[in-house]
Amino acid sequence: MLWMSCLPSASLCLLLLPCFPAQTGGENEQSTDVLSVWEGDSISITCSISGLGEHVGMHLKSSRKTVNMIYFSKDNPPNISPDLAGRTECSREGRNYRTTLHNVQESDSNIYLCIEYVTVNGHHKILDGKRSIVVVKAKTGGALKQSPLYASPQQGQSVSITCVMNSSRGDEGIYLLKTHVQPESVLYVSNQSATRILPAFAERLEYSREGKQIVITLHNLQENDSDNYVCAEEVKYVKNTRLLSASGTMVLVKEGEQTYSQKACSDSSWVIYSLLIVVALLFCALVCCTLYHVNTKKYFQKNPPNVVYEDMSYSSRRNTLVRTNTYSRGSEA
């Protein structure tokens, strides 16, 4: 294992990074890792070299404001953002870059992306690598319990989030918040059933509340709905204070693979139907041409003349021409 010291210099990272045109390499996108750790623990994120083209470097980015966390250069030591300085170790093991982040905090909960820079036939290209979803849970007990920890629905599908209040103080109201990509309040439900719903979810959200439990269902999810959804409780004696739950629900909406498959199947069906119709039309045309050719040939073919043949043989002519005159012999007698 080759260990390298991480330099806390984001500006140097930007200076060393070559200029690449924005291209996508979605065809080599790898699977998604989900890392759930307690606050204060350590996590390791691995970015692998794809092997497509000549490798130039690798970026580890966070989806929050698309921040460049670390840049691994092929020939130079890695460069790290000041936000992670002092608690990060970097190493390279063969074709893998490994980043170990120590003493993680709730603010480290994020979606981390591996972005590789390569050259192919002299052209620069950017390849999307593995995604790592990191959820950091607080060790101190929160006012709420929330499940599931992570959900990865297809585009157009639904997700249900369950929030349970443990404290009897939390009967004033409950929030569902988006906390990472675009922080905002998705839902607020008071104990008097007064409701405020984010307009973007006005026709796509439903909930049911029973006692200290609330189940929130988000329908027809789109890619831009990907975020960390956190339940928060409004405490009675501290007005307008929100107590976040120990762990939120990280929702990562993926493109509808099934939709693409159905579309491809539908398209192929139309192609097959079209080919069958063309073949049927060609067959009909061939049959019609054949029948037309046969009928035309019969029409123009000369009919044999009506001929009466007579037997003109010698014996026949003799029997016809030479007859005995019985009357004349009788008179002679």
Side-chain angles (χ1 to χ4, degrees):
M1 181 186 297
L2 177 62
W3 288 92
M4 297 174 286
S5 61
C6 297
L7 304 180
S9 174
S11 59
L12 179 59
C13 172
L14 297 178
L15 291 175
L16 294 176
L17 179 63
C19 180
F20 289 85
Q23 298 184 26
T24 178
E27 67 273 8
N28 73 305
E29 185 175 348
Q30 303 174 21
S31 60
T32 299
D33 283 349
V34 180
L35 306 175
S36 175
V37 296
W38 290 104
E39 190 176 27
D41 290 345
S42 300
I43 59 170
S44 291
I45 299 174
T46 301
C47 296
S48 301
I49 299 175
S50 65
L52 300 177
E54 181 181 355
H55 175 71
V56 175
M58 183 83 69
H59 243 144
L60 179 63
K61 297 184 176 183
S62 68
S63 62
R64 186 187 303 174
K65 300 181 181 178
T66 319
V67 177
N68 298 328
M69 310 299 294
I70 300 175
Y71 177 68
F72 296 93
S73 174
K74 182 179 68 171
D75 302 318
N76 299 304
N79 295 270
I80 184 171
S81 169
D83 295 337
L84 301 180
R87 55 191 185 103
T88 304
E89 290 180 312
C90 307
S91 65
R92 178 173 177 176
E93 305 170 6
R95 305 182 67 86
N96 296 323
Y97 293 105
R98 182 182 298 275
T99 300
T100 302
L101 182 61
H102 300 289
N103 190 26
V104 294
Q105 306 299 317
E106 280 191 281
S107 58
D108 294 324
S109 296
N110 213 323
I111 301 175
Y112 295 89
L113 313 174
C114 296
I115 308 295
E116 183 182 6
Y117 302 90
V118 300
T119 55
V120 180
N121 298 326
H123 299 283
H124 298 301
K125 194 172 184 181
I126 300 176
L127 304 179
D128 295 332
K130 182 175 62 178
R131 292 186 177 192
S132 297
I133 299 178
V134 177
V135 179
V136 181
K137 300 177 293 182
K139 288 185 176 180
T140 57
L144 300 177
K145 288 184 178 179
Q146 181 175 339
S147 62
L149 181 67
Y150 167 70
S152 181
Q154 298 287 340
Q155 187 171 337
Q157 292 183 343
S158 302
V159 164
S160 292
I161 299 173
T162 302
C163 303
V164 180
M165 295 174 286
N166 291 332
S167 173
S168 60
R169 301 173 303 171
D171 57 353
E172 185 68 21
I174 188 169
Y175 291 85
L176 179 66
L177 309 173
K178 293 171 67 176
T179 61
H180 278 185
V181 180
Q182 186 176 355
E184 54 191 347
S185 175
V186 175
L187 171 69
Y188 171 74
V189 181
S190 70
N191 60 341
Q192 288 87 18
S193 297
T195 304
R196 294 197 303 268
I197 299 177
L198 184 69
F201 285 92
E203 303 296 330
R204 302 189 291 132
L205 185 149
E206 61 181 6
Y207 72 93
S208 60
R209 183 173 183 178
E210 183 177 353
K212 295 181 179 181
Q213 176 175 297
I214 182 170
V215 179
I216 304 167
T217 303
L218 308 177
H219 298 287
N220 191 24
L221 290 168
Q222 304 301 313
E223 284 187 274
N224 57 2
D225 293 326
S226 297
D227 210 312
N228 190 45
Y229 291 80
V230 178
C231 292
E233 185 179 2
E234 190 177 57
V235 182
K236 257 188 176 182
Y237 56 82
V238 183
K239 192 63 176 177
N240 296 329
T241 297
R242 301 172 185 178
L243 301 180
L244 299 183
S245 66
S247 61
T249 299
M250 186 68 75
V251 177
L252 178 62
V253 183
K254 301 182 295 186
E255 290 188 47
E257 298 173 358
Q258 185 176 3
T259 302
Y260 284 130
S261 175
Q262 291 176 346
K263 183 179 179 181
C265 181
S266 177
D267 293 342
S268 61
S269 299
W270 278 109
V271 171
I272 293 174
Y273 292 151
S274 301
L275 289 176
L276 290 176
I277 292 174
V278 170
V279 170
L281 291 176
L282 290 175
F283 179 75
C284 292
L286 179 62
V287 172
C288 292
C289 289
T290 303
L291 294 176
Y292 177 78
H293 180 71
V294 171
N295 291 334
T296 303
K297 186 175 181 180
K298 286 183 178 180
Y299 180 80
F300 286 101
Q301 186 178 12
K302 295 182 178 180
N303 294 325
N306 296 325
V307 179
V308 178
Y309 293 94
E310 295 182 359
D311 188 2
M312 300 301 292
S313 63
Y314 175 79
S315 59
S316 177
R317 283 183 286 125
R318 181 180 179 186
N319 293 333
T320 304
L321 298 177
V322 180
R323 299 180 181 275
T324 303
N325 194 342
T326 57
Y327 297 103
S328 61
R329 289 182 178 181
S331 61
E332 290 179 359

